[in-house]
Amino acid sequence: MALALRFRCVAVLVFLLSSPSALPVVKVKAAALDLFTDKEALLSLKSQVTTDPSNTLFSWNNNSSPCNWTRVSCNQVNQRVVGLDLSGLRLTGSISPNIGNLPFLRSLHLQGNQFTGLIPDQLGALSRLSVLNISFNSINGPIPLNITKCLNLQILDLMQNEISGAIPEELSSLKSLEILKLGGNKHF
């Protein structure tokens, strides 16, 4: 008797798992989830900013789309964040590793601030990134090797920081790289 009951339970379970119509379907708009991911990444970046003298990041909140935020650019077709320009704002803090959760990001301008800490390894996840400018900050540590995963990178400007260590030979694998600025850092 117990064996027959166990067999029926297994048969029902197999039916439920193999029949798409037997399971409830929950549809969520992919674009909404994607924009939500972009929003969370940007809010994480904002949370790492300790000083915003001009209050530029005030518009960055949960109540609006990041496509409406100051200094954020979005692709009009799929509503994804493609550009971030926080240059010259005298921001202090560190660069959140969650910046790597912006897969459509093409340009990242953080120059002319007072960011400290390391360049996040997670920048290597930004395969569409073509411009990375973190010049004139107080970034320290080595250039992360993961940056060589940004195969579309055309401009890499890290000058006038406190970056140390050897220049990674792997940067030569960036075939699209046209401008590389590393001057004004600690000895390489």
Side-chain angles (χ1 to χ4, degrees), residues 11-30:
V12 169
L13 183 60
V14 168
F15 170 76
L16 288 175
L17 292 176
S18 63
S19 173
S21 62
L23 296 174
V25 176
V26 178
K27 290 188 178 181
V28 179
K29 290 186 178 181

Side-chain angles (χ1 to χ4, degrees), residues 45 84 95-103 105 107-110 118-134 139 142-151 153 156-158:
L45 178 65
L84 183 57
I95 303 170
S96 170
N98 288 326
I99 196 79
N101 292 334
L102 295 169
L105 195 65
S107 65
L108 179 58
H109 293 273
L110 301 176
L118 302 173
I119 299 171
D121 283 336
Q122 290 79 358
L123 280 175
L126 303 177
S127 62
R128 291 178 173 87
L129 194 65
S130 62
V131 177
L132 176 58
N133 190 337
I134 310 178
I139 298 297
I143 298 171
L145 289 180
N146 277 357
I147 211 157
T148 60
K149 293 181 181 176
C150 300
L151 298 177
L153 204 57
L156 176 58
D157 189 347
L158 304 175

